[in-house]
């Protein structure tokens, strides 16, 4: 605890993780990054909130266990980031807000509960960093954020092996392959301020990119990432820096399954763990009003390496914020 200071219009008392030199990292109640559990969003600048949903998956489920497992592996993450010379806890009040209780039997009701849960956070002028859960959770989060920040105003930076703008699947509109098609159709995002990075793999037909082209979404497939380099992608992202506020969505399957096997729809040929860290670090200076990290499925996670990577990415996102 340090003296109170003004930050972001709030009187704040800093919150720090437990000191790993004086507290065993393998004991105690598990929270994100060993931070306190705080359910009052007015006391926070960033709320780390678990969203344990996998009702929107179409292949391998298990992402409902993502938040719990990431909490466990986040115990090894320390406070200072020498790569970008940042300790996020010096400037942000961050805590584990707990999980949103979703309905595992109805995706529509689950989304409603997520929207209401996130609404309580942003009504307190606190930014949510949601830990999923499948990628369908982004849609109700964006519904709440659009109500706060303006419909059709937010841009988005989206790291993913998939574009997640697919049409209905077996008559189901809401699932983890469609959140950003729905978000654009509901005017929650400005597609001309969207950039999708790292997608790859096969498509159903040659018209798979028509939605992106029609709406003016910037696309950087994995081939371009590798051909032109991480620094080029960072430059492309920074060109958006003066274009208002953004949402960050990071699907763990943008990382190659050799580094992140614990996910629902793995796709070969992705980023390495280090490249993923580099790309998140390239986001410095972007004004994010909310973020998510999704699609970690512990039942398919070899030795916890996916959850460990997710925990470190969560910390890197905090450093960017």
């Amino acid at each position: 605890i340090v003296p109170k200071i003004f930050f972001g219009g709030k009187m704040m008392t800093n919150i720090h993780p437990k000191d790993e030199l004086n507290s065993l990292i393998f004991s105690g109640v598990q929270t994100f990054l060993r931070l306190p559990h705080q359910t009052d969003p007015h006391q926070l600048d960033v709320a780390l909130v678990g969203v344990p949903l996998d009702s929107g998956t179409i292949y391998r489920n298990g992402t409902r266990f993502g938040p719990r497992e990431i909490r466990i592996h986040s115990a090894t993450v320390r406070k200072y980031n020498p790569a970008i010379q940042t300790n996020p806890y010096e400037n942000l009040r961050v805590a584990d807000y707990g999980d949103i209780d979703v309905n595992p039997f109805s995706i529509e009701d689950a989304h409603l509960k997520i929207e209401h849960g996130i609404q309580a956070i942003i009504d307190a002028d606190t930014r949510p960093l949601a830990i999923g859960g499948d990628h369908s959770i982004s849609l109700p989060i964006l519904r709440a954020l659009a109500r706060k920040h303006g419909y059709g105003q937010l841009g988005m930076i989206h790291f993913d092996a998939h574009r997640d703008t697919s049409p209905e699947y077996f008559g189901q509109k809401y699932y983890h392959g469609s959140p950003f098609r729905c978000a654009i159709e509901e005017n929650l995002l400005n597609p001309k301020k969207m950039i999708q990075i790292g997608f790859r793999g096969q498509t159903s037909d040659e018209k798979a990119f028509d939605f992106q082209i029609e709406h003016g979404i910037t696309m950087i497939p994995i081939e371009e990432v590798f051909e032109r380099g991480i620094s080029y992608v960072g430059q492309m992202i920074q060109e958006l820096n003066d274009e208002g506020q953004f949402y960050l969505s990071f699907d763990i399957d943008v990382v190659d399954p050799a580094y992140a096997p614990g996910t629902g729809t793995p796709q070969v040929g992705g980023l390495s763990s280090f490249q993923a860290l580099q790309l998140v670090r390239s986001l410095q200076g972007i004004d994010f009003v909310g973020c998510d990290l999704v699609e970690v499925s512990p039942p398919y996670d070899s030795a916890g390496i996916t959850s460990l990577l997710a925990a470190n990415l969560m910390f890197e996102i905090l450093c960017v914020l």
Side-chain angles (χ1 to χ4, degrees), residues 164-234:
D164 291 355
T165 54
S166 298
E168 290 186 4
Y169 187 75
F170 283 83
Q172 174 59 257
K173 185 176 183 180
Y174 304 120
Y175 64 104
H176 70 168
S178 67
F180 303 124
R181 173 182 286 264
C182 295
I184 291 171
E185 291 175 344
E186 295 180 23
N187 195 33
L188 309 179
L189 290 169
N190 180 349
K192 291 181 172 54
K193 289 169 54 178
M194 286 178 57
I195 183 168
Q196 297 185 303
I197 301 162
F199 61 89
R200 57 191 185 273
Q202 310 79 22
T203 61
S204 300
D205 55 43
E206 68 278 6
K207 298 180 180 180
F209 301 100
D210 286 0
F211 186 87
Q212 271 74 3
I213 295 169
E214 176 187 350
H215 290 86
I217 299 171
T218 300
M219 298 181 287
I220 305 181
I222 197 68
E223 291 83 3
E224 191 171 354
V225 175
F226 288 142
E227 288 169 9
R228 307 192 71 167
I230 299 296
S231 60
Y232 163 78
V233 179

Side-chain angles (χ1 to χ4, degrees), residues 263-289:
T263 190
T265 47
Q267 183 63 251
V268 300
L271 301 170
S272 70
S273 298
F274 182 60
Q275 289 168 328
L277 297 177
Q278 286 180 299
L279 283 171
V280 172
R281 290 167 185 166
S282 75
L283 302 175
Q284 293 179 79
I286 305 292
D287 185 7
F288 290 111
V289 299

Side-chain angles (χ1 to χ4, degrees), residues 3-307:
K4 291 182 178 180
I5 61 174
F6 281 107
F7 181 81
K10 296 182 178 181
M11 184 71 79
M12 68 177 283
T13 301
N14 279 23
I15 301 170
H16 289 275
K18 289 182 180 178
D19 183 0
E20 71 276 2
L21 298 179
N22 296 296
S23 175
L24 297 173
I25 64 174
F26 51 83
S27 68
V29 176
Q30 298 297 326
T31 59
F32 289 127
L33 300 169
R34 306 182 82 220
L35 287 161
H37 180 209
Q38 171 59 264
T39 59
D40 180 2
H42 294 88
Q43 303 301 316
L44 304 174
D45 297 302
V46 179
L48 303 176
V49 55
V51 189
L53 182 71
D54 59 12
S55 303
T57 57
I58 62 173
Y59 186 42
R60 308 193 306 195
N61 57 14
T63 55
R64 66 179 63 186
F65 301 111
R68 177 184 296 178
E69 196 71 12
I70 293 169
R71 282 186 173 96
I72 293 172
H73 288 277
S74 72
T76 63
V77 180
R78 290 171 171 80
K79 294 182 288 188
Y80 183 71
N81 187 340
I84 57 174
Q85 300 180 356
T86 299
N87 178 344
Y89 311 112
E90 293 295 338
N91 294 314
L92 295 173
R93 295 177 302 176
V94 189
D96 189 330
Y97 187 74
D99 288 350
I100 295 174
D101 287 324
V102 299
N103 184 339
F105 303 108
S106 167
I107 194 166
E108 289 85 358
D109 187 53
H111 283 183
L112 188 62
K113 293 181 185 301
I114 295 167
E115 182 180 349
H116 289 168
I118 296 296
Q119 191 71 55
I121 294 171
I122 63 177
D123 282 349
D125 291 325
T126 297
R127 284 174 284 180
L129 172 44
I131 311 299
D134 70 58
H135 218 153
S136 75
I137 73 168
S138 298
L139 179 60
I141 295 172
L142 286 168
R143 286 171 177 162
L145 287 169
R147 191 176 297 117
K148 173 79 170 182
H149 299 283
Y151 287 89
Q153 299 299 310
L154 290 178
M156 184 178 71
I157 298 172
H158 174 206
F159 297 100
D160 204 324
H162 312 94
R163 299 174 309 282
D164 291 355
T165 54
S166 298
E168 290 186 4
Y169 187 75
F170 283 83
Q172 174 59 257
K173 185 176 183 180
Y174 304 120
Y175 64 104
H176 70 168
S178 67
F180 303 124
R181 173 182 286 264
C182 295
I184 291 171
E185 291 175 344
E186 295 180 23
N187 195 33
L188 309 179
L189 290 169
N190 180 349
K192 291 181 172 54
K193 289 169 54 178
M194 286 178 57
I195 183 168
Q196 297 185 303
I197 301 162
F199 61 89
R200 57 191 185 273
Q202 310 79 22
T203 61
S204 300
D205 55 43
E206 68 278 6
K207 298 180 180 180
F209 301 100
D210 286 0
F211 186 87
Q212 271 74 3
I213 295 169
E214 176 187 350
H215 290 86
I217 299 171
T218 300
M219 298 181 287
I220 305 181
I222 197 68
E223 291 83 3
E224 191 171 354
V225 175
F226 288 142
E227 288 169 9
R228 307 192 71 167
I230 299 296
S231 60
Y232 163 78
V233 179
Q235 180 181 346
M236 290 286 289
I237 292 170
Q238 287 300 325
E239 288 179 2
L240 300 171
N241 204 1
D242 59 351
E243 296 190 22
Q245 296 175 311
F246 287 82
Y247 185 74
L248 170 63
S249 188
F250 195 103
D251 188 324
I252 201 70
D253 69 22
V254 73
V255 181
D256 193 274
Y259 301 91
T263 190
T265 47
Q267 183 63 251
V268 300
L271 301 170
S272 70
S273 298
F274 182 60
Q275 289 168 328
L277 297 177
Q278 286 180 299
L279 283 171
V280 172
R281 290 167 185 166
S282 75
L283 302 175
Q284 293 179 79
I286 305 292
D287 185 7
F288 290 111
V289 299
C291 314
D292 66 51
L293 175 64
V294 297
E295 294 287 349
V296 173
S297 181
Y300 296 95
D301 196 11
S302 303
I305 61 175
T306 312
S307 297

